[in-house]
Amino acid sequence: MTETERLRIRRAIRVLLAQRSILRERLEEINENLRRVPNPSRSRRELLAARVSIREALRLNRIAIRLLRSVL
């Protein structure tokens, strides 16, 4: 593996870590909003769906970081 490829992988890992940070912040916001929204409501269902989606994105992000690190 060339040094250019290693740098490219490291850059990709940094971007994924930044994305992970943003997703975690968004997840915190959603959890805070869920505490305020009344239980049987459309907005609550949408927040719950968004939370599921973000959790899946975090899971895939974690896998991508692990795979890239294993290549290095």
Side-chain angles (χ1 to χ4, degrees):
M1 179 179 304
T2 67
E3 189 59 31
T4 305
E5 290 169 332
R6 287 183 201 274
L7 290 173
R8 205 174 271 167
I9 291 171
R10 286 189 181 111
R11 192 176 316 123
I13 290 171
R14 279 196 307 274
V15 167
L16 286 167
L17 289 170
Q19 179 190 49
R20 184 170 182 75
S21 173
I22 292 167
L23 287 169
R24 283 181 170 171
E25 288 175 13
R26 185 68 184 120
L27 190 58
E28 285 178 23
E29 291 172 10
I30 287 173
N31 286 331
E32 288 173 15
N33 288 336
L34 280 169
R35 289 186 205 106
R36 294 186 202 115
V37 175
N39 207 349
S41 67
R42 179 180 177 181
S43 57
R44 185 171 184 83
R45 283 192 304 273
E46 290 174 0
L47 285 169
L48 290 170
R51 185 171 69 174
V52 168
S53 176
I54 289 175
R55 284 182 176 168
E56 179 66 8
L58 283 167
R59 186 184 73 80
L60 295 173
N61 178 288
R62 187 171 40 251
I63 292 169
I65 291 171
R66 189 179 313 131
L67 288 172
L68 287 171
R69 284 183 174 156
S70 72
V71 171
L72 288 178

